[in-house]
């Protein structure tokens, strides 16, 4: 703090320490601190203090923490869509995957794009939660057969 004041006033740290030095009365006696005071007409002065607090341990202190209200964090929309477990293309309830494009402009122009791209463009979303079969169709690959016991 003293270095900041010294730099601001183009002075030295020791001059700032002498200028703002003060002693305040505490329950444990006088304590040295630095104090900036702005006197105001008809009102209490503005006082800013740095230091002056006793660093003694008080063994009789009772800590009373207030109970914090429960935090309700809203889920991101994509997480909610994933947890629904429903394919947004065919509506099939199954294990879902996310198809992602880098930019909506990569989907192409209306009328020249496949139905899944129209769906993404209509929703203005770069992601589409789809089942494994729909995802394979989007990429033009054969779907991976499901594991059966």
């Amino acid at each position: 703090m003293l270095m900041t004041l010294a730099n601001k006033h183009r002075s030295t740290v020791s001059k700032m320490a002498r200028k703002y030095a003060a002693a305040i009365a505490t329950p444990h006696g006088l304590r040295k601190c630095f104090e900036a005071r702005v006197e105001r007409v008809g009102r209490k002065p503005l006082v800013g203090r740095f230091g002056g607090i006793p660093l003694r341990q008080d063994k009789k202190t009772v800590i009373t923490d207030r109970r914090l209200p429960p935090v309700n964090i809203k889920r991101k929309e994509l997480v909610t869509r994933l947890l629904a477990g429903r394919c947004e293309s065919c509506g099939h309830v199954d294990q879902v995957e996310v198809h992602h494009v880098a930019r909506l402009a990569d989907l192409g122009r209306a009328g020249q794009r496949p139905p899944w791209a129209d769906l993404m463009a209509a929703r203005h979303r770069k992601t589409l939660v789809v089942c494994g079969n729909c995802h394979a169709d989007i990429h033009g690959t054969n779907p991976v057969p499901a594991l059966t016991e």
Side-chain angles (χ1 to χ4, degrees):
M1 177 192 77
L2 291 174
M3 290 176 73
T4 302
L5 285 171
N7 188 29
K8 177 180 179 182
H9 296 291
R10 301 277 190 244
S11 183
T12 65
V13 172
S14 57
K15 286 182 184 177
M16 290 294 112
R18 278 193 303 272
K19 180 178 179 181
Y20 292 107
I24 59 169
T26 67
H28 302 287
L30 281 178
R31 295 281 184 247
K32 291 181 182 179
C33 69
F34 296 107
E35 181 177 275
R37 182 178 291 264
V38 178
E39 300 294 335
R40 303 185 298 175
V41 179
R43 296 164 70 184
K44 293 190 328 185
L46 291 176
V47 179
R49 282 193 191 114
F50 184 81
I53 57 171
L55 300 177
R56 289 188 183 164
Q57 181 180 11
D58 186 3
K59 296 186 181 199
K60 296 179 183 176
T61 300
V62 177
I63 299 174
T64 53
D65 289 336
R66 59 186 171 93
R67 291 191 62 109
L68 296 175
V71 179
N72 187 10
I73 300 173
K74 292 180 71 175
R75 287 190 169 122
K76 299 290 184 192
E77 184 222 358
L78 179 60
V79 174
T80 306
R81 290 166 46 204
L82 274 169
L83 290 175
R86 180 176 299 274
C87 177
E88 294 176 348
S89 181
C90 68
H92 189 255
V93 178
D94 195 9
Q95 291 284 28
V96 290
E97 303 169 358
V98 178
H99 178 69
H100 183 268
V101 293
R103 297 181 307 162
L104 286 175
D106 294 342
L107 296 175
R109 296 177 185 264
Q112 299 173 352
R113 56 185 171 216
W116 61 267
D118 286 334
L119 186 60
M120 291 177 80
R123 293 181 179 187
H124 299 288
R125 296 283 179 265
K126 296 192 304 182
T127 57
L128 188 64
V129 177
V130 291
C131 62
N133 290 334
C134 290
H135 203 190
D137 289 342
I138 289 171
H139 287 288
T141 59
N142 294 330
V144 177
L147 295 175
T148 56
E149 294 181 15

